[in-house]
Amino acid sequence: MEKDKFLISRPYTIIHVGTNDIAQDNMSVDNILSQFSSLIVLIRRLSRTKIIISSILPRPIDLFFTETKIKELNKRLKIKCKERGVQFVASFHTFLKNAKPVKELYAVRDGGLHLNYESTNKLRSEFVNTISHLPLVKANK
């Protein structure tokens, strides 16, 4: 971001990261939250963009190992966003039915690691809906 400010030169910057990190044993919820905090500080230092953070999505492929961690992280991330004046998008709701990931929304070829085309569009729609309800802001260019 420091070398190429284009990523954060728009009125809104959506951050959708962390799903792979949460599956790693050596990455605690505290560690991931710390990384989100560092990212927020960096973006704010470089730009006036409105930061939007998307929740961590559950994945069918590793839910057995990550479900508790994902729930805890999303709960704490929502609080952290409120404290920091960052918009939080609880995008995970779209991908759950009866508290489990909807397998049809994930790619078949990789066993449910990535979103498929339909769910990518659903996630995009959530972001567009979120942005459409926010006041317009000007970012540094």
Side-chain angles (χ1 to χ4, degrees):
M1 282 184 283
E2 290 177 295
K3 291 180 183 176
D4 185 3
K5 291 188 177 115
F6 176 78
L7 289 172
I8 55 172
S9 67
R10 303 292 182 236
Y12 305 100
T13 298
I14 299 170
I15 300 170
H16 182 73
V17 297
T19 307
N20 288 334
D21 291 339
I22 205 155
Q24 297 178 21
D25 288 335
N26 64 336
M27 294 294 285
S28 69
V29 170
D30 286 335
N31 187 285
I32 296 169
L33 277 172
S34 175
Q35 290 182 356
F36 270 104
S37 290
S38 296
L39 188 57
I40 291 167
V41 168
L42 176 63
I43 292 170
R44 286 210 169 128
R45 190 182 57 154
L46 298 172
S47 175
R48 292 175 28 155
T49 188
K50 174 74 174 163
I51 302 169
I52 302 166
I53 294 182
S54 176
S55 64
I56 305 297
L57 301 182
R59 300 185 298 198
I61 194 168
D62 56 13
L63 186 68
F64 181 78
F65 302 105
T66 61
E67 183 175 26
T68 302
K69 210 169 167 182
I70 289 172
K71 286 179 180 177
E72 178 67 18
L73 180 59
N74 282 336
K75 178 180 161 187
R76 291 180 57 194
L77 188 56
K78 182 178 181 179
I79 293 167
K80 170 92 51 199
C81 286
K82 188 173 183 176
E83 291 171 353
R84 299 284 183 107
V86 170
Q87 182 70 39
F88 179 77
V89 180
S91 49
F92 65 91
H93 291 300
T94 302
F95 300 90
L96 295 174
K97 184 174 183 180
N98 299 322
K100 298 295 178 201
V102 179
K103 290 183 180 182
E104 294 78 24
L105 296 176
Y106 292 82
V108 174
R109 291 186 182 189
D110 65 11
L113 183 63
H114 294 99
L115 301 176
N116 64 23
Y117 182 77
E118 176 188 354
S119 59
T120 300
N121 282 333
K122 283 180 179 274
L123 186 59
R124 182 186 65 77
S125 292
E126 286 219 27
F127 294 156
V128 168
N129 183 51
T130 298
I131 290 171
S132 71
H133 290 90
L134 293 174
L136 184 59
V137 296
K138 291 185 178 182
N140 290 341
K141 295 230 177 189

